[in-house]
Amino acid sequence: MTPVLDALGRVADLGGPVVMILIAMSAIALALILAKLWQFLRLGVGRHDRLDTALGAWDRGDTALARDGAAQAPSHLAALAVAALGAAGTRRDEAALRARLTSLAAERIARLGAGLRLLDSVAQVAPLLGLFGTVLGMIEAFQGLQAAGAAVDPSALAGGIWVALLTTAVGLAVAMPASLVLTWFDARIAREARMAERIIDTALCAGVGADG
């Protein structure tokens, strides 16, 4: 751990405050990613085997097995399934019932997306901030070139330029993993939304298309 901290310290010294801000942003992004992974694991995101079995039983008309399976499912959508299967077949307006169940599903899906806008902001702002640091560094390097006049040291100029470019590299290094992880989270949330729709459709339209 100490060599990593030493390396980060050297990068921060070279890149200045912009790199320090980017390092702080990367720490925030990492903490958010770990928190979301723990949330997904705790809520059973993607663990729909029992729900699949329960919905299949509901389509076959085995309501008791379906309701028991939904109640025992480890998924965060189990409560939605229990509510949908429990309300199905009652003398209620189907449009109102579907609207209510859709609202319950939206609440649960929204919990999964909480905090991801911050990760999206990191992915978008980090490369721009890195480019901003590079522009500032290039300005400083050429100011030094102007001040040197005829006694220009090419090695000093090259050193100033690569230090300036360091901020862009750090910005991209922060943004690319954040963007990839955000895409993965979005894909998983989209799958959960489709599963929620399937639960509602199956509960209210049992047997329709089950053999297709």
Side-chain angles (χ1 to χ4, degrees):
M1 194 65 175
T2 301
V4 174
L5 294 177
D6 290 341
L8 289 176
R10 289 194 296 271
V11 171
D13 291 339
L14 288 172
V18 172
V19 169
M20 294 179 68
I21 293 173
L22 288 170
I23 292 175
M25 291 175 63
S26 69
I28 293 172
L30 179 59
L32 179 59
I33 289 170
L34 293 177
K36 295 302 293 184
L37 288 174
W38 170 248
Q39 180 193 29
F40 277 35
L41 180 63
R42 179 173 54 85
L43 294 178
V45 172
R47 298 166 61 186
H48 299 320
D49 290 344
R50 290 189 180 180
L51 283 181
D52 285 334
T53 301
L55 295 178
W58 186 262
D59 268 332
R60 295 191 303 271
D62 193 342
T63 58
L65 179 62
R67 287 171 176 155
D68 287 344
Q72 297 173 8
S75 169
H76 68 112
L77 294 176
L80 173 65
V82 170
L85 297 181
T90 58
R91 294 183 178 179
R92 300 184 184 184
D93 180 73
E94 183 175 333
L97 179 57
R98 179 178 290 275
R100 177 57 178 164
L101 293 174
T102 300
S103 176
L104 292 175
E107 290 176 6
R108 296 189 172 276
I109 299 301
R111 287 194 304 169
L112 299 181
L116 291 184
R117 291 195 65 178
L118 177 57
L119 188 60
D120 182 47
S121 296
V122 170
Q124 293 189 38
V125 172
L128 297 177
L129 187 59
L131 181 59
F132 176 66
T134 294
V135 171
L136 293 180
M138 295 292 285
I139 291 174
E140 184 178 350
F142 282 105
Q143 281 179 337
L145 176 63
Q146 182 183 21
V152 177
D153 184 358
S155 62
L157 178 61
I161 292 175
W162 81 258
V163 169
L165 291 173
L166 179 64
T167 59
T168 295
V170 174
L172 292 174
V174 172
M176 289 187 292
S179 180
L180 290 173
V181 174
L182 178 63
T183 300
W184 183 82
F185 279 134
D186 285 341
R188 296 307 299 265
I189 292 173
R191 289 176 59 185
E192 295 300 297
R194 289 194 296 271
M195 185 63 185
E197 292 176 1
R198 181 188 167 200
I199 290 171
I200 296 172
D201 290 340
T202 301
L204 300 183
C205 306
V208 176
D211 299 328

